[in-house]
Each structure stands twice: as C-alpha cells, then as structure tokens.
C-alpha cells in the first residue's frame, strides 16, 4: 500500500514548500499509515506514503539516484512492479550497481538506461509512478496498462502537481474543488472516460500511457494498447494458453512476505483464482489459502429474481471444501451500509459520487473487516470485462444499442435518463444533455477499437463491445475499488489484469469467445478440471446487496430529509416532486432489475449531496 504526490515548477523556488507537498501526501494517509518520505529541491518536491507489507529493507522512497556528485533521477511508485527482480538482474548485467533492495531504484536506473517509454514498456504490474529528471527538468508519470492504479495531475503555468488521489491535489493551495458542466456530465453519464478527472484543471494519466511535464508543457504518449493482430491458435491451444497465462499471473502475484487471501464469491472468476492460488501454495508447502466472503443475512432468506439468481453461500462452501481453504464469512447488514462513518469514508476514498453507493459502502466494510486478518487480497475484478461476462453479453438488444452497454442496461431496467439521473431537475438535465455527452464519449471510444480486414459485421461489433469492456467499463470499476480498499487498509492484486492475458484473450475471434453459447466461454473452459461442476455451470450473479426493506426505507427517509431541508447542497439540482413520489414507494428498491436501477437514482442524489458538502464543491454551469 502506498501513495505518491509531488509538485514541479520551473519558475517558483520550491525549496521552502516541503510542508505544502507534505500536506498533499497527508491527505492520503490511509494509503501509507506507516511512514512518509519527502525529497525537496528548488524545482521539484516528491513525496511518498507507505504501509509496510513485507517489502525488503532499504527500499525507502523517494529513491534518489546520484552519480558523480549530482542527482540523476528521483523516483516514487504507488503499487507493485511484479517483475522488479527480473529488471534488476537485467540492469545489473548492463553495469548498474544497486544500493537498495526496493523497486524505486529499479525504476530510477531503468529510466536512465531505457528512457521513459523504454521503462514503461518493460514494466509488469499495477502502478502509478513518477520520475523526476533534474538534468532535463522533466517529470515523467507512468500508469499501468489496465489502469488498476490511479494517477492524477494538474498542469500549472510552469509545471504540474501530481498524486495518487484527487484529494491530494485538492489539498494544494492553488487548486479549488470546482466542477463544470463536463465534470457533472462525466459523473452522471457513467461513461468511464479514460483521462477524465471530473474536477476542473485536473486530469488523469490514461491507462497504458505516460505523461511528460517540462516547463509547463504537457505531452502524452501511449506505450500500450489492445491490438487486433489475427489469432492463429485453435480452440484447444487457446484454452490451454489461457490456463497457463492465468496460472502464471496468480503465481507471480502470490509473491509476498505477508499473509494474503482471495475474496471468494463462489462465482467463476473468484473460484478460479482460489483454485490456482491454493494449488500454488500447496506446491510450496505453505499454509492453506485464506478466503473471505461477504454475505447479507441468512442463506435461507435469499430471494431469487432476474438479477440475483442464486445465493453465494452453497457455492462458496463447495469451493472451500474443494481446495481446503481456511474460510471466513463477513456478515453485513443494512445497518453497516447506513453507518454514516462508512458512507462518508467510502465517498471520501473515491473523491467523486457514484450511482452505486451501496456497493461502495459494502466494499469498504468488507475490506475493513478483511484487513483485520490479512493485509493483502487477490481479487477477481476485471474478469467480466476481459472475458465478456457483463450481463449485457447475453442480451442482444443491449449489444446492439449504440451506446455503452451498461447504460443501455440501465434504460432496459427503467431508467429514463440512464444511471442515477431520474431524480434530478429537468432543467439541469436539459442543460447537461447527459445522453448526448455519453453518445459523444461512446463515439470516441469506438474510434479507439482496432479492426481486421475482412471482419464480419458481427465480429466487428463484438470486438467493439469487448474493447469497451476492457477500457471504459474497467475505468468505472478498477480505480474506485482500489481507492476504497486502500482507504480501508487492504491492498489488492488483480491477476485477471495481467496485460499478457488480456491481450491474448482480446485477440481471439468472437466464435471462439462464445463457443459454448454462454458468457465467458474461454474462461470456463480454461478452468474446467480445476473447479467443481456446480461452480462451472453456475449462472452469473452480481455482487450481493441487502434484500430486505430496511435499507430501502432508510434511503427513502434520507431522500425526504433532503427535500425537507431547502439548505441541502443538492437541493437546487433535484426535482423535488419526483423525489417525493419516489420516496413514497420504497418497495421499488428491494429486488429485481428495476430495483437495481431505481437504487442508482436514490444513491446518486444522496452521494451528490454529501459530496457537495464534504468537498465544498463549486459547480460552474
């Protein structure tokens, strides 16, 4: 666990601004409760917050690389570079002599040896990193290929600020929490636009990109992208290769000097990680794998509907017994999700509101509970995007919709304007034109999709949908989960985000990806023989939510509190009559596809209200 922050400026003398950047880093203290490092010069300040997770001694950051009495490079990194040992050996063969055991020295020396783009192309892992070159007065920012680790920056007249979280940049005296029309559109559209940071004057390093800042000039460069290069392997070879790539990713990410676990739901994705991790640990002679599951209420109280078809519990038991895991159930209830401390902490972790508020609060509560046992977890997130497991993959009308499939699913579930917008003021919605904004972002996303000559219309369309799932959809998922887990004291690793696995799966043709007529055909085939049949054949079920009316009625009560308080920050942005009608029907929030969509409207109003208040956001329309 770690976080980075910094300030570079070619005009202002920063020698006395250490406390300014220290305050930026302090805004992310949850990421690094065990210590802070700070390097200061007249033109640059770099800060690092860290939590000890069994890293080797001598890996303090920022790492300052000196030669011939001069500073050559300064490096900081948030995240994990999985191939640091291999890169260290390569650099040693090139004549470098290491003085520490940390990854930051690998990054600093790699930068000098290969340059920014050369370093970026060689890295494997999940990371957001910065390198300052005093010789050229250039700041280099690099973000991992899938965007698992966030990295933000704010350009200045002669430099820039950067940090792992928006709140750290907002802690700088020159930055205000201002949001314009486009920022609201991004929040309300749920378009997942790579690079968009919501706040004015702020941007995010896009996944698979690096950013250079020199004397106020910002340039961006892509170092990785998905390619349609023609898949040559037959089905059997493809399935075998996916098994091998996933097994390699799991083994690589099991390298840790601290206890770790798998977050297990009993579904295909997490069960696959559990089976592979348990096998690898057995072969090492290590302690049995630990697994954790979140549940709401008793298993016998579960009510199946069109979205949640089966409870997790019986499948979790089957998986735990199959691999001999040491298992713990984390039982949550509506009171946990309504706890104001958990709600505010989960919002503060993300820095922006979300229509999936209850999922964020439950994830925070789950991560906090797991962190009491282990500091590190393997997570199955991203498998839906990478293997085509989104619910829309089995719904032709959603696949054919000329918008993001998850937004089409919200319309299918009854949302008139999309995810989380139906209770907002009609005048505001007309001004923002959220559907028009989403349509524009959708066209931009499609322009990024590689194609092959001779693609059939079906192949072309499915390649587009797949690309959206690995880019925009993952951008709505990965950074938010990462931020919440870090705030709760739990570090994540994501084997399905291994870029070699992602590239290989993306290149396979649609006929192969759907060969058995179900979602995630290739992953299911790759895990056959490792998982019990009941789990292989289980119908996809989303993350669990409360099914009783306690949470629904509480949401409606909170909505009415806002309506009855004209000083509420969100009051000018909502349709008061619509909120009153909505709050009078809490039953619509309990179960089924319409309930899921309805909850997004209630959650967005409540999240907006808290966000505007907590961050003192100035909205400029």
């Amino acid at each position: 666990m770690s976080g980075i922050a910094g300030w570079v400026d070619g005009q202002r003398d920063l020698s006395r601004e250490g406390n300014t950047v220290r305050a930026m880093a302090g805004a992310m203290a949850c990421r690094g409760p065990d210590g802070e490092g700070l390097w200061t010069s007249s033109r640059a300040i770099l800060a690092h917050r860290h939590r000890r997770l069994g890293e080797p001694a001598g890996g303090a950051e920022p790492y300052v690389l000196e030669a011939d009495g001069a500073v050559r490079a300064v490096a900081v990194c948030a995240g994990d570079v999985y191939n640091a040992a291999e890169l260290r050996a390569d650099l040693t063969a090139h004549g470098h002599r290491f003085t520490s055991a940390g990854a930051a020295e690998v990054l600093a020396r790699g930068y000098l040896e290969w340059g920014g783009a050369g370093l970026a192309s060689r890295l494997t892992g999940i990371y957001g990193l910065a390198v300052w070159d005093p010789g050229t007065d250039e700041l280099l920012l690099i973000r991992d290929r899938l965007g698992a680790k966030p990295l933000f920056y704010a350009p200045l007249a002669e430099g820039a600020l950067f940090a792992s979280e928006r709140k750290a940049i907002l802690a700088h005296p020159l930055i205000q929490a201002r949001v314009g029309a486009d920022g609201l559109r991004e929040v309300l559209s749920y378009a997942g636009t790579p690079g968009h940071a919501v706040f004015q004057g702020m941007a995010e390093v896009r996944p698979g990109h690096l950013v250079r800042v020199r004397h106020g000039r910002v340039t961006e460069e892509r170092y990785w992208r998905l390619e349609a290069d023609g898949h040559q392997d037959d089905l059997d070879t493809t399935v075998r290769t996916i098994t091998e790539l996933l097994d390699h990713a799991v083994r690589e990410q099991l390298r840790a000097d601290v206890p770790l676990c798998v977050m297990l739901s009993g579904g295909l994705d997490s069960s696959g990680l559990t089976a592979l991790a348990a096998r690898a640990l057995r072969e090492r002679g290590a302690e049995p794998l630990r697994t954790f599951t979140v549940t709401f209420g008793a298993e016998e109280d579960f009510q199946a509907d069109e979205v949640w078809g089966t409870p997790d519990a019986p499948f979790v038991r089957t998986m735990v017994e199959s691999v001999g895991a040491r298992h713990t159930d984390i039982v949550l209830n509506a009171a946990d999700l309504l706890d104001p401390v958990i709600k505010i902490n989960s919002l503060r972790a993300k820095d922006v509101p979300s229509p999936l508020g209850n999922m964020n609060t439950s994830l925070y509560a789950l991560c906090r509970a797991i962190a009491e046992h282990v500091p590190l977890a393997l997570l199955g997130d991203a498998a839906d995007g990478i293997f085509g497991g989104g619910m829309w993959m089995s719904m032709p009308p959603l696949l054919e919709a000329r918008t993001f499939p998850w937004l089409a699913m919200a319309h299918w579930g009854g949302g008139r304007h999309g995810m989380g917008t139906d209770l907002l003021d009609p005048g505001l919605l007309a001004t923002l034109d959220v559907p028009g904004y989403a349509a524009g972002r959708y066209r931009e996303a499609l322009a990024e999709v590689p194609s092959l000559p001779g693609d059939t219309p079906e192949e072309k369309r499915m390649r587009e949908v797949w690309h959206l799932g690995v880019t925009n959809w993952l951008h709505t998922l990965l950074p938010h989960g990462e931020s919440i887990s870090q705030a709760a004291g739990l570090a994540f690793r994501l084997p399905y985000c291994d870029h070699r696995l992602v590239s290989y799966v993306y290149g396979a043709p649609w006929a192969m990806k759907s060969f058995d007529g179900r979602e995630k055909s290739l992953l299911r085939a790759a895990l056959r023989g490792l998982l019990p049949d009941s789990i292989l054949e289980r119908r996809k079920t989303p993350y669990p939510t409360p099914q009783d009316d306690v949470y629904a009625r509480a949401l409606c009560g909170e909505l009415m509190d806002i309506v009855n308080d004209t000083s509420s920050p969100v009051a000018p942005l909502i349709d008061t009559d619509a909120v009153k009608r909505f709050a009078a029907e809490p039953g619509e929030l309990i179960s089924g596809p319409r309930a899921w969509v309805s909850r997004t409207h209630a959650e967005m109003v409540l999240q907006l209200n808290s966000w505007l208040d907590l961050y003192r956001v100035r909205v400029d329309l």
Side-chain angles (χ1 to χ4, degrees):
M1 284 181 58
S2 52
I4 63 174
W7 181 8
V8 301
D9 200 306
Q11 198 172 52
R12 184 186 185 102
D13 183 356
L14 300 182
S15 301
R16 302 167 67 182
E17 298 293 350
N19 282 339
T20 302
V21 177
R22 183 173 281 115
M24 293 172 63
M28 305 179 294
C30 290
R31 287 180 175 267
D34 293 334
E36 173 190 275
L38 192 75
W39 179 84
T40 303
S41 74
S42 62
R43 297 189 302 277
I45 305 176
L46 278 70
H48 183 265
R49 300 281 317 194
H50 74 276
R51 179 185 179 191
R52 298 184 189 93
L53 288 177
E55 295 91 343
E61 298 183 39
Y63 179 81
V64 182
L65 178 57
E66 298 184 67
D68 302 323
V71 175
R72 301 289 305 281
V74 185
V76 288
C77 179
D80 295 308
V81 177
Y82 299 141
N83 64 334
E86 291 82 357
L87 294 177
R88 179 184 293 268
D90 195 0
L91 289 164
T92 300
H94 280 80
H96 290 264
R97 297 294 176 261
F98 284 82
T99 61
S100 77
E105 184 177 2
V106 174
L107 300 175
R109 293 186 179 278
Y111 168 76
L112 292 184
E113 182 68 32
W114 301 308
L119 171 64
S121 66
R122 287 171 169 82
L123 297 175
T124 298
I126 53 175
Y127 45 80
L129 64 91
V131 179
W132 169 249
D133 185 335
T136 62
D137 280 355
E138 183 173 272
L139 172 69
L140 173 72
L141 304 174
I142 304 176
R143 190 175 180 199
D144 66 80
R145 292 169 179 83
L146 274 296
K149 287 289 178 178
L151 183 57
F152 299 91
Y153 65 98
L156 303 174
E158 289 293 327
L161 308 169
F162 69 87
S164 298
E165 295 186 10
R166 299 173 181 88
K167 67 173 65 66
I169 293 177
L170 292 173
H172 192 280
L174 296 179
I175 303 298
Q176 294 181 327
R178 298 175 63 179
V179 174
D182 258 14
L184 276 184
R185 290 176 181 125
E186 181 63 25
V187 168
L188 298 175
S189 69
Y190 217 63
T193 306
H196 205 302
V198 177
F199 291 99
Q200 288 182 351
M202 197 183 302
E204 188 174 22
V205 180
R206 292 193 288 172
H209 284 68
L210 58 87
V211 169
R212 303 178 193 272
V213 181
R214 186 178 184 187
H215 301 308
R217 183 170 178 264
V218 178
T219 58
E220 186 181 42
E221 179 181 337
R222 185 198 298 268
Y223 70 88
W224 181 82
R225 66 177 297 161
L226 290 168
E227 299 286 355
D229 51 7
H231 190 78
Q232 302 300 319
D233 293 342
D234 62 18
L235 178 59
D236 289 343
T237 303
T238 298
V239 170
R240 184 170 62 252
T241 301
I242 289 172
T243 305
E244 293 169 354
L245 287 170
L246 183 56
D247 183 57
H248 175 78
V250 169
R251 290 174 184 272
E252 187 175 60
Q253 295 181 37
L254 283 173
R255 296 176 188 170
D257 296 323
V258 295
L260 53 74
C261 71
V262 173
M263 294 174 67
L264 175 63
S265 70
L268 185 67
D269 312 339
S270 63
S271 296
L273 296 187
T274 298
L276 292 169
R279 184 174 69 179
L281 292 177
R282 280 197 305 271
E283 291 173 1
R284 284 190 206 169
E287 292 290 321
L289 176 68
R290 296 205 65 173
T291 55
F292 291 84
T293 295
V294 63
T295 183
F296 290 92
E299 180 182 341
E300 57 270 18
D301 294 332
F302 177 84
Q303 299 175 24
D305 59 34
E306 295 176 67
V307 178
W308 286 271
T310 53
D312 289 341
F315 299 94
V316 168
R317 283 195 299 271
T318 297
M319 196 64 223
V320 167
E321 293 168 1
S322 173
V323 301
R326 181 182 166 196
H327 183 70
T328 303
D329 283 319
I330 305 297
V331 181
L332 302 179
N333 54 39
D336 295 307
L337 303 192
L338 295 167
D339 184 331
V341 172
I342 292 179
K343 291 175 70 172
I344 292 298
N345 279 346
S346 62
L347 173 59
R348 183 178 282 140
K350 290 162 54 62
D351 291 326
V352 292
S354 164
L356 305 179
N358 68 312
M359 292 186 181
N360 296 329
T361 50
S362 64
L363 179 60
Y364 181 91
L366 171 61
C367 291
R368 186 178 65 174
I370 294 175
E372 296 172 357
H373 301 271
V374 295
L376 180 61
L378 299 188
L379 187 64
D381 275 16
D384 279 347
I386 292 159
F387 285 95
M391 293 181 65
W392 50 83
M393 296 302 292
S394 60
M395 304 173 74
L398 304 188
L399 295 178
E400 295 164 6
R402 294 296 148 177
T403 187
F404 296 108
W406 51 96
L407 299 185
M409 188 167 71
H411 288 296
W412 167 78
R416 298 190 305 277
H417 305 287
M419 289 177 61
T421 58
D422 281 11
L423 300 182
L424 299 182
D425 177 69
L428 173 67
L429 292 176
T431 298
L432 295 177
D433 185 19
V434 175
Y437 175 84
R441 292 307 192 187
Y442 173 74
R443 289 190 295 270
E444 291 174 1
L446 290 192
E448 296 282 320
V449 181
S451 60
L452 284 173
D455 275 350
T456 65
E458 181 185 41
E459 184 71 38
K460 181 176 184 295
R461 180 54 184 164
M462 297 313 298
R463 196 186 304 281
E464 290 173 345
V465 172
W466 218 272
H467 198 276
L468 295 174
V470 179
T471 53
N472 293 64
W473 175 245
L474 286 192
H475 196 258
T476 71
L477 178 70
L478 296 182
H480 303 306
E482 189 272 352
S483 297
I484 288 173
S485 69
Q486 295 272 318
L490 183 69
F492 273 1
R493 289 182 178 175
L494 304 161
Y496 288 111
C497 283
D498 184 282
H499 71 277
R500 296 155 295 195
L501 173 66
V502 174
S503 295
Y504 186 77
V505 174
Y506 181 74
W510 169 240
M512 193 174 286
K513 290 172 178 171
S514 59
F515 77 90
D516 67 356
R518 297 186 60 184
E519 84 288 346
K520 292 190 279 197
S521 302
L522 288 175
L523 180 60
R524 185 174 292 101
L527 296 175
R528 195 168 294 280
L530 290 168
L531 300 182
D533 288 344
S534 61
I535 292 175
L536 285 170
E537 301 306 321
R538 185 188 182 191
R539 188 188 119 193
K540 178 177 175 54
T541 296
Y543 187 83
T545 60
Q547 291 191 307
D548 58 37
D549 66 352
V550 175
Y551 185 73
R553 293 186 182 281
L555 282 187
C556 292
E558 291 181 17
L559 287 174
M560 288 307 300
D561 289 341
I562 289 175
V563 169
N564 294 327
D565 181 2
T566 56
S567 66
S568 295
V570 79
L573 306 181
I574 63 173
D575 182 341
T576 301
D577 291 336
V579 172
K580 289 179 178 178
R581 290 193 299 271
F582 185 92
E585 298 291 341
E588 293 188 6
L589 299 173
I590 297 175
S591 64
R594 291 187 179 275
W596 171 77
V597 174
S598 294
R599 276 197 298 268
T600 69
H601 305 311
E603 298 281 8
M604 181 57 84
V605 169
L606 298 174
Q607 289 254 313
L608 280 171
N609 193 59
S610 296
W611 180 60
L612 293 169
D613 181 45
L614 184 66
Y615 285 77
R616 297 294 188 265
V617 176
R618 174 178 166 181
V619 179
D620 298 323
L621 296 179

